[in-house]
Amino acid sequence: MPHATPDYYAHPTAVLDEGCQIGRGSRVWHFCHISAGADIGEDCNLGQNVFVADGVVLGRNVKVQNNVSLYGGVICEDDVFLGPSVVFTNVKNPRSAVPRKGAGQYQTTYLEQGVTIGANATIVCGTRLGRYAFVGAGSVVTHDVPAYALVYGAPARPQGWMSAFGHRLQFDADRRATCPESGEQYELSADEQSVRPLAKTEKRTSKI
């Protein structure tokens, strides 16, 4: 029989340590291990063979694909997507003979709302990924990533900008772009280092 509560589903092979928190509507699939002290929000989905360590925090509607290990220090806001076999770290200078465990040793990796990380990407600890940042498959992220930025490569470098719906943005001479799916408009900063979504009242009007 599967683990059963009124709030979430866990496959019978999943190991849920006493003290872990799992939100309403979440699904924990085959061979997952959720450590005591892990905090998983509502409507999350953890694929096969996912490990979630003590101190990890997942917001609402976080999707974690197969074979991902989330180590202490990883924090994900709502709507984050982690592709298959994404790799996280939490110590930058590990040595087998030098204990570097627990509070004060692990560096925080912070993923803001809507971040997508492609399959087999590696996220080096101590980095922050801004809202709706998009990391290409197989990339190695060693520095902070701005909101809405598209990065890929090893090491990952800026390659463009993405909408909240996951479409690459093409900016015109006025530094404006429109998402082809949502119709939401975005503005590129004058120094081309950041992008912001425009409020509806800021959208460009047609000239008569």
Side-chain angles (χ1 to χ4, degrees):
M1 294 292 291
H3 302 288
T5 77
D7 296 325
Y8 65 84
Y9 170 82
H11 190 270
T13 59
V15 176
L16 310 179
D17 290 348
E18 185 176 355
C20 69
Q21 300 293 320
I22 303 176
R24 182 185 302 273
S26 289
R27 296 163 298 283
V28 180
W29 294 102
H30 306 64
F31 312 117
C32 290
H33 182 186
I34 314 300
S35 300
D39 187 349
I40 297 171
E42 296 182 354
D43 297 319
C44 292
N45 190 83
L46 277 59
Q48 180 173 301
N49 196 36
V50 169
F51 170 69
V52 185
D54 180 22
V56 170
V57 178
L58 304 183
R60 185 181 182 279
N61 191 41
V62 174
K63 292 181 170 58
V64 184
Q65 302 301 297
N66 296 352
N67 305 315
V68 176
S69 291
L70 298 163
Y71 300 116
V74 174
I75 300 174
C76 299
E77 293 187 355
D78 298 348
D79 304 321
V80 167
F81 178 91
L82 305 177
S85 301
V86 164
V87 175
F88 290 93
T89 68
N90 59 7
V91 175
K92 283 192 175 179
N93 59 339
R95 293 294 195 189
S96 181
V98 181
R100 292 193 173 105
K101 295 182 180 180
Q105 297 292 325
Y106 297 149
Q107 297 193 42
T108 299
T109 300
Y110 198 102
L111 280 60
E112 297 183 11
Q113 181 178 3
V115 165
T116 289
I117 301 178
N120 293 300
T122 297
I123 313 299
V124 175
C125 58
T127 52
R128 187 181 186 100
L129 282 65
R131 286 168 56 87
Y132 298 104
F134 199 106
V135 178
S139 299
V140 180
V141 175
T142 59
H143 295 90
D144 292 352
V145 179
Y148 301 99
L150 168 65
V151 299
Y152 54 83
R157 300 185 186 281
Q159 306 289 344
W161 304 95
M162 301 287 277
S163 74
F165 272 59
H167 294 278
R168 193 160 184 171
L169 295 170
Q170 303 295 332
F171 291 91
D172 61 21
D174 295 325
R175 303 194 308 277
R176 299 286 181 94
T178 302
C179 174
E181 185 173 355
S182 69
E184 186 174 34
Q185 288 194 330
Y186 296 82
E187 183 178 58
L188 181 65
S189 64
D191 62 4
E192 299 186 352
Q193 298 302 302
S194 64
V195 161
R196 70 182 183 101
L198 295 177
K200 290 182 178 179
T201 55
E202 295 180 87
K203 289 184 179 180
R204 183 169 43 197
T205 56
S206 300
K207 294 181 180 179
I208 299 176

